């Protein structure tokens, strides 16, 4: 696992884009980043969230997509420490 100062630098350098895909290999689910949302907080100032559509395989082998929002910095840390694998979407290459 990266050390904390290096992790902070890596978070700053990591840019996420609409269309990027993340894979949670432990839960066996795939998420697609669909929308970045800006919110203003009295305590934290500016916060950004990603709307992510996840596909989870149910017991009867049907895909059940769900939509969640994740705070951007937490998502980046999850990618950097290996909780999620990041695969770049087409919009990442512009």
């Amino acid at each position: 696992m990266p050390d904390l100062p290096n992790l902070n630098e890596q978070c700053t350098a990591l840019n996420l884009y609409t269309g990027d895909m993340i894979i949670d290999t432990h839960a066996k689910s795939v998420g697609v980043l669909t929308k970045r949302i800006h919110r203003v907080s009295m305590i934290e100032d500016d916060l950004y969230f990603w709307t992510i559509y996840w596909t989870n395989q149910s017991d009867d082998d049907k895909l059940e997509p769900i939509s969640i929002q994740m705070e951007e910095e937490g998502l980046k840390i999850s990618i950097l420490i290996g909780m999620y694998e990041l695969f770049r979407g087409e919009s990442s290459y512009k």
Side-chain angles (χ1 to χ4, degrees), residues 75-91:
L75 177 58
K76 287 180 176 183
I77 289 171
S78 296
I79 292 166
L80 291 171
I81 66 170
M83 285 181 62
Y84 300 131
E85 293 181 43
L86 174 65
F87 294 89
R88 294 298 189 174
E90 199 171 291
S91 61

Side-chain angles (χ1 to χ4, degrees), residues 3-61:
D3 61 33
L4 291 180
N6 190 23
L7 188 61
N8 188 30
E9 291 172 12
Q10 289 179 0
C11 272
T12 302
L14 178 60
N15 293 315
L16 300 173
Y17 301 94
T18 300
D20 285 353
M21 182 174 63
I22 53 177
I23 297 178
D24 183 337
T25 54
H26 180 70
K28 297 185 171 119
S29 58
V30 175
V32 177
L33 282 62
T34 59
K35 184 176 182 182
R36 187 174 188 237
I37 301 162
H38 175 240
R39 295 187 183 153
V40 178
S41 165
M42 298 289 274
I43 299 168
E44 297 290 330
D45 202 25
D46 290 327
L47 294 174
Y48 292 91
F49 289 80
W50 279 95
T51 300
I52 304 170
Y53 281 94
W54 285 98
T55 57
N56 291 325
Q57 194 139 10
S58 66
D59 292 334
D60 56 358
D61 288 333

